[in-house]
Amino acid sequence: TDDWLEEYAHDFPVESLQLAEGERARMPRRLLDWLNAHPQDVLFHNDVMPAHPAIPYLPEDLRFVYVVHDTAEMYWRKAVEHEACLDGIIAVSNVIADQFRDALDDPGRLHVAHNRTLFPEDVSLNGERRDDLVFLGGGKRIKGAYDVLDLWRALATRNFGGTLQWFGTLDDELIVRIE
């Protein structure tokens, strides 16, 4: 069922390919039919595995960007395999991009767009609730350890009154950056 659509479809249209459980094999054809009926300028593919077979058959005028969210080979292998069909590849961190950059024929297609929310410039924290920032990822880059430093810097410039509570093991390089 598509009950989850109601939760997310507030200010933008959300469509489903209406595939029931067990119909994954129909995904490539349904995607191509949907794109034919609803031409798009750009399609961001967030590794919807059942749609992989459709990649070589996407419309010529469609700009197709493959987004990679994880370091495991199963998440970036098809981006490398179908590189010639892609207009771009986005990895959500440098750590992820480093996993497959050397496997690409044209590493210039690969870009990093960090998977995080930007802190709005117009938010003032003075007089608002002052909570602590809690991070549970230790020193792991893939969990956002270095992103926390950027966030903390943004909060500090806005006079954030909370404290940073950091849990997990830190390596020497990260300790130096924190200090």
Side-chain angles (χ1 to χ4, degrees):
T1 110
D2 292 326
D3 295 338
W4 64 270
L5 288 175
E6 291 300 317
E7 181 179 348
Y8 296 103
H10 299 290
D11 297 326
F12 56 89
V14 175
E15 292 197 34
S16 169
L17 295 179
Q18 303 292 326
L19 292 173
E21 287 295 320
E23 292 187 300
R24 292 173 58 111
R26 294 183 52 213
M27 171 67 86
R29 171 53 43 205
R30 291 295 291 264
L31 176 60
L32 293 172
D33 290 346
W34 185 88
L35 287 169
N36 187 45
H38 304 89
Q40 303 293 304
D41 295 321
V42 180
L43 177 63
F44 287 87
H45 176 83
N46 285 285
D47 197 36
V48 179
M49 291 179 185
H52 288 161
I55 294 173
Y57 305 100
L58 293 170
E60 286 288 322
D61 58 344
L62 175 70
R63 298 295 146 245
F64 186 70
V65 180
Y66 196 108
V67 184
V68 183
H69 291 271
D70 197 294
T71 57
E73 183 179 352
M74 65 184 275
Y75 295 107
W76 53 261
R77 179 177 9 131
K78 290 296 181 180
V80 171
E81 181 181 323
H82 293 297
E83 178 184 359
C85 303
L86 308 178
D87 293 288
I89 303 168
I90 296 175
V92 300
S93 75
N94 287 315
V95 172
I96 293 170
D98 291 345
Q99 294 298 307
F100 65 95
R101 179 180 283 112
D102 293 341
L104 295 170
D105 292 330
D106 180 6
R109 289 181 203 230
L110 177 60
H111 306 278
V112 175
H114 292 282
N115 194 17
R116 62 182 175 199
T117 302
L118 298 177
F119 199 79
E121 291 293 327
D122 60 348
V123 173
S124 169
L125 296 175
N126 292 334
E128 292 184 16
R129 190 172 96 185
R130 299 184 135 173
D131 289 339
D132 291 347
L133 176 62
V134 178
F135 180 69
L136 305 172
K140 296 181 179 178
R141 287 180 185 266
I142 195 167
K143 299 294 183 185
Y146 286 79
D147 296 335
V148 169
L149 295 177
D150 294 337
L151 175 60
W152 188 251
R153 186 176 299 115
L155 290 170
T157 62
R158 290 165 178 83
N159 299 317
F160 179 69
T163 58
L164 175 57
Q165 305 291 325
W166 201 308
F167 294 88
T169 305
L170 304 176
D171 60 28
D172 292 338
E173 178 187 349
L174 189 55
I175 290 170
V176 168
R177 291 219 28 212
I178 291 170
E179 290 174 352

